[in-house]
């Protein structure tokens, strides 16, 4: 099982340990593209603070994020699972999983990123600010920039099992499973059952709980149909729509009665 996650807007502070080693990150086929984005981001943030703030869409109160980006090559690094915070990651709560579930998380979770493309939760990275919606002056929109390198690397990372896609639209644009991989991919919406409306905050929290439930239970569904059964066994109310034709993902709705 491969679980595709969005990053978080907010991030924990960088560590005090050794700085980033791009060549040590998972998915080494992305290394050249990562080096290019990293170089462009550091150059932008080192040379023109106001332009960097405009490009990154940062308010005056987030001016310090520009200086943080300028020091990415020398800042301390820590596991990505500790760097990413926010609603989904609070609900996932990787740190409190038992050892077996943490090993499953290391194998299964892949976090998409405007800067790194995608990383495992065990990859050591510094804290940064660069969303997939950013348009770097020399590279253009990062969502479009990452499509070619992702298309080369991600199909192999997906293996031959289930792909559970929990990304937001901006990050989904960087890689869309195609063909046979798409047929064993499931996307998930979280709906408030009484109104059948998506609620953003609860959507993220529920997705974090779903991933935690799967990891903690040791469940390893082989495909979307098995995922539906596994989630129902774990107590979730799920409605599933199989694709109308080959090469399209399954669409799952998880219904929740309360918003909390």
């Amino acid at each position: 099982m491969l679980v595709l996650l969005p990053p978080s807007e907010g991030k924990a502070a960088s560590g005090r340990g050794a700085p980033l080693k791009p060549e040590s990150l998972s998915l080494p086929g992305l290394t050249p593209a990562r080096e290019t984005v990293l170089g462009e981001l550091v150059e932008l943030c080192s040379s023109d603070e106001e332009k960097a703030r405009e490009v990154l869409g940062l308010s005056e109160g987030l001016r310090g994020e520009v200086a943080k980006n300028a020091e990415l090559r020398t800042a301390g690094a820590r596991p990505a699972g500790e760097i990413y915070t926010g609603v989904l990651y609070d609900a996932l709560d990787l740190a409190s999983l038992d050892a077996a579930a943490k090993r499953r998380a290391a194998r299964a979770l892949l976090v998409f990123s405007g800067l790194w493309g995608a990383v495992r939760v065990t990859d050591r990275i510094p804290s940064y600010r660069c969303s997939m919606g950013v348009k770097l002056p020399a590279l253009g929109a990062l969502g479009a920039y990452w499509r070619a390198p992702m298309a080369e690397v991600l199909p192999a990372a997906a293996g031959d099992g289930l792909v559970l896609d929990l990304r937001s639209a901006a990050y989904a644009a960087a890689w869309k499973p195609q063909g046979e991989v798409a047929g064993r991919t499931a996307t998930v919406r979280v709906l408030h059952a009484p109104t059948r409306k998506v609620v953003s905050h609860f959507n993220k929290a529920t997705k974090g709980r779903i991933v935690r439930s799967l990891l903690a239970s040791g469940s390893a569904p082989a495909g979307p149909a098995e995922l539906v059964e596994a989630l129902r066994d774990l107590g979730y109310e799920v409605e599933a729509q199989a694709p109308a034709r080959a090469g399209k993902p399954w669409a799952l709705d998880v219904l929740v009665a309360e918003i909390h």
Side-chain angles (χ1 to χ4, degrees), residues 129-182:
R129 190 67 172 244
C130 185
S131 71
M132 193 66 81
V134 164
K135 295 181 179 179
L136 290 177
L139 299 179
L142 290 176
Y145 172 82
W146 280 110
R147 285 175 196 155
M150 291 288 199
E152 291 290 329
V153 172
L154 267 294
D160 58 4
L162 169 71
V163 178
L164 175 54
D165 190 351
L166 302 178
R167 298 172 296 167
S168 55
Y171 291 90
W175 181 62
K176 294 184 179 180
Q178 302 292 324
E180 182 269 336
V181 178

Side-chain angles (χ1 to χ4, degrees), residues 18-19 22-23 30 43 91 119 127 146 152 161 169-171 193 203 206 225 259:
E23 69 279 4
L30 297 178
E43 173 63 24
V119 292
S127 184
W146 280 110
E152 291 290 329
Y171 291 90
N203 174 56
T206 301
I259 300 175

Side-chain angles (χ1 to χ4, degrees), residues 166-257:
L166 302 178
R167 298 172 296 167
S168 55
Y171 291 90
W175 181 62
K176 294 184 179 180
Q178 302 292 324
E180 182 269 336
V181 178
R184 48 188 166 85
T185 297
T187 63
V188 173
R189 293 190 309 173
V190 179
L191 303 181
H192 182 216
T195 64
R196 301 193 72 82
K197 292 182 179 179
V198 173
V199 183
S200 178
H201 176 94
F202 193 58
N203 174 56
K204 294 176 182 178
T206 301
K207 286 179 178 179
R209 294 186 190 111
I210 285 171
V211 177
R212 181 180 178 86
S213 296
L214 290 169
L215 295 173
S217 69
S219 179
E226 292 83 358
L227 172 65
V228 172
E229 294 306 313
L231 292 177
R232 288 172 176 165
D233 288 345
L234 289 167
Y236 293 93
E237 184 179 353
V238 182
E239 295 178 353
Q241 182 176 344
R245 62 182 187 275
K248 297 293 182 181
W250 285 55
L252 274 56
D253 286 341
V254 175
L255 306 179
V256 293

Side-chain angles (χ1 to χ4, degrees), residues 24-222:
S24 72
L25 298 179
S26 302
L27 308 177
L30 297 178
T31 299
R34 288 169 175 152
E35 290 279 13
T36 298
V37 179
L38 177 62
E40 292 293 335
L41 182 62
V42 170
E43 173 63 24
L44 172 66
C45 293
S46 300
S47 60
D48 190 333
E49 184 179 273
E50 289 306 315
K51 183 177 180 180
R53 198 158 64 84
E54 178 183 350
V55 168
L56 296 173
L58 300 176
S59 66
E60 175 66 31
L62 293 174
R63 183 180 293 272
E65 298 293 284
V66 176
K68 182 168 72 174
N69 281 349
E71 299 175 354
L72 283 172
R73 292 193 184 277
T74 56
R78 59 196 291 195
E82 298 176 11
I83 289 289
Y84 294 116
T85 59
V87 175
L88 187 154
Y89 291 90
D90 286 348
L92 174 53
D93 195 9
L94 286 168
S96 69
L97 291 171
D98 65 30
K102 286 179 179 176
R103 288 193 294 271
R104 288 189 284 271
R107 294 192 301 267
L109 305 188
L110 198 61
V111 184
F112 276 61
S113 162
L115 176 53
W116 315 115
V119 292
R120 303 283 187 184
V121 292
T122 50
D123 285 332
R124 297 182 64 83
I125 59 173
S127 184
Y128 67 96
R129 190 67 172 244
C130 185
S131 71
M132 193 66 81
V134 164
K135 295 181 179 179
L136 290 177
L139 299 179
L142 290 176
Y145 172 82
W146 280 110
R147 285 175 196 155
M150 291 288 199
E152 291 290 329
V153 172
L154 267 294
D160 58 4
L162 169 71
V163 178
L164 175 54
D165 190 351
L166 302 178
R167 298 172 296 167
S168 55
Y171 291 90
W175 181 62
K176 294 184 179 180
Q178 302 292 324
E180 182 269 336
V181 178
R184 48 188 166 85
T185 297
T187 63
V188 173
R189 293 190 309 173
V190 179
L191 303 181
H192 182 216
T195 64
R196 301 193 72 82
K197 292 182 179 179
V198 173
V199 183
S200 178
H201 176 94
F202 193 58
N203 174 56
K204 294 176 182 178
T206 301
K207 286 179 178 179
R209 294 186 190 111
I210 285 171
V211 177
R212 181 180 178 86
S213 296
L214 290 169
L215 295 173
S217 69
S219 179

